[in-house]
Amino acid sequence: MWLFSSSVGRKFVMALTGAALVLFVTFHCLMNSVAILWPTAYNAVCEFLGANWYALIASAGLALLIIIHIIYACWLTMQNRAARGHVRYAIEKRPAGVEWASKNMLVLGIFVLAFLVVHLIQFWAKMQLMEVLGCEGQFPAAAGTLFIQQAFSCWCTPVIYAIGFIALWFHMNHGFWSMFQTVGWDNTTWIPRLKCIGKCWVGVVMVLFFIQLGVFTYNANRDFYLNNEALQEQYMEMGYNQLVNPMDGQAPALRNCNGGVCGKACPEVQACEACQPCDEVCNPACEQPCGAQAEVEVVEVESNN
């Protein structure tokens, strides 16, 4: 079959799998943008894309495309090197611009793959995979913002992501127009246009990724995803109310049974008989924070004396 026996066929497969990856990166960029503008909606998207049949099929298909893309990239590289022998380039002076990326696509691809592995370990393995295996993780699988909190609280995460984004920029900047060239759009009219479109598209995507990187790092280091009241309500609806900073082990804010923020004070107050400790059973009979109810009872005792 020509897809396997010829270099043209293998390049065609590279183009098709590359196009699918371009669409995935675009979708991923838009999904992450939701976490900036509306974190609770991001968690809703994570829940929708959990261990559902359509999400599992999409994940399996994407994994297959990545594997094929990597195999064919290595295959083409070995074929090209075997054809050149010991002399890699007949012309020592390389063309300016994007041609640098075209000569280093395999190396860039390795950096992108390493970044992808880190990203999968930090998110996919702890979210969708845990659901598929039926295991209970540290956080609810749908609480994507808690995994953002955990990942970006570590100083090395933004460094790794920045390197990965730079490699992805170079890789996709060349790959975008190259895949059109492979399928036949190889002429002096369309190639310059496609290069311009590719640079603009990749530039917008990369700018959004770096904005997300900065916002996630800033919010995680000030515990925004732990302290935000709307997110706390959402976590409790998921059956999770043990908000503990994954880096220092401290609980910045736990909720009492009536929904108010009580921190560590609630378990220590003995006068509030109707309210259970925040980290135990939620008692709907408690109508006000435990601390406030305790103060009222103390005042009444003093007035009787």
Side-chain angles (χ1 to χ4, degrees), residues 1-6 9-10:
M1 188 175 180
W2 70 278
L3 291 176
F4 304 97
S5 60
S6 68
R10 287 190 282 273

Side-chain angles (χ1 to χ4, degrees), residues 70-71 83 103 156 163 165 171 220 244:
I70 294 172
I71 292 175
K103 303 298 183 182
C156 63
I163 295 173
F165 288 156
H171 192 82
V244 177

Side-chain angles (χ1 to χ4, degrees), residues 270-283:
Q270 302 298 327
C272 182
E273 298 178 357
C275 186
Q276 297 295 325
C278 307
D279 55 350
E280 293 182 3
V281 180
C282 178
N283 190 337

Side-chain angles (χ1 to χ4, degrees), residues 71-82:
I71 292 175
Y72 272 67
C74 296
W75 196 352
L76 285 171
T77 300
M78 291 187 294
Q79 184 185 41
N80 293 338
R81 290 186 176 179

Side-chain angles (χ1 to χ4, degrees), residues 294-305:
E295 292 176 2
V296 172
E297 293 189 6
V298 171
V299 171
E300 290 178 354
V301 171
E302 291 178 354
S303 63
N304 291 334
N305 292 333

Side-chain angles (χ1 to χ4, degrees), residues 158-230:
V159 175
I160 295 173
Y161 276 53
I163 295 173
F165 288 156
I166 293 172
L168 184 63
W169 187 91
F170 281 108
H171 192 82
M172 297 186 66
N173 197 35
H174 172 74
F176 183 90
W177 65 264
S178 180
M179 66 184 179
F180 288 101
Q181 184 184 50
T182 300
V183 297
W185 288 21
D186 187 9
N187 56 66
T188 56
T189 301
W190 273 103
I191 287 299
R193 295 176 181 176
L194 291 171
K195 286 184 178 181
C196 181
I197 294 172
K199 287 182 179 180
C200 293
W201 173 82
V202 174
V204 170
V205 169
M206 289 300 110
V207 167
L208 288 175
F209 272 141
F210 274 101
I211 291 175
Q212 294 161 13
L213 177 63
V215 171
F216 292 162
T217 302
Y218 174 74
N219 284 342
N221 282 277
R222 66 188 183 98
D223 293 332
F224 170 80
Y225 303 110
L226 297 177
N227 293 328
N228 181 267
E229 292 186 5

Side-chain angles (χ1 to χ4, degrees), residues 45-120:
V45 173
C46 291
E47 185 174 12
F48 176 75
L49 296 176
N52 301 301
W53 65 269
Y54 42 83
L56 294 176
I57 292 176
S59 299
L62 178 65
L64 179 62
L65 290 174
I66 292 174
I67 292 172
I68 293 174
H69 196 77
I70 294 172
I71 292 175
Y72 272 67
C74 296
W75 196 352
L76 285 171
T77 300
M78 291 187 294
Q79 184 185 41
N80 293 338
R81 290 186 176 179
R84 286 194 300 264
H86 296 290
V87 181
R88 290 196 175 186
Y89 305 106
I91 301 175
E92 293 296 330
K93 185 178 180 181
R94 299 179 183 178
V98 76
E99 289 300 320
W100 178 87
S102 68
K103 303 298 183 182
N104 296 277
M105 287 295 279
L106 182 62
V107 176
L108 292 171
I110 292 173
F111 274 95
V112 173
L113 178 62
F115 160 66
L116 178 62
V117 170
V118 173
H119 183 67
L120 290 175

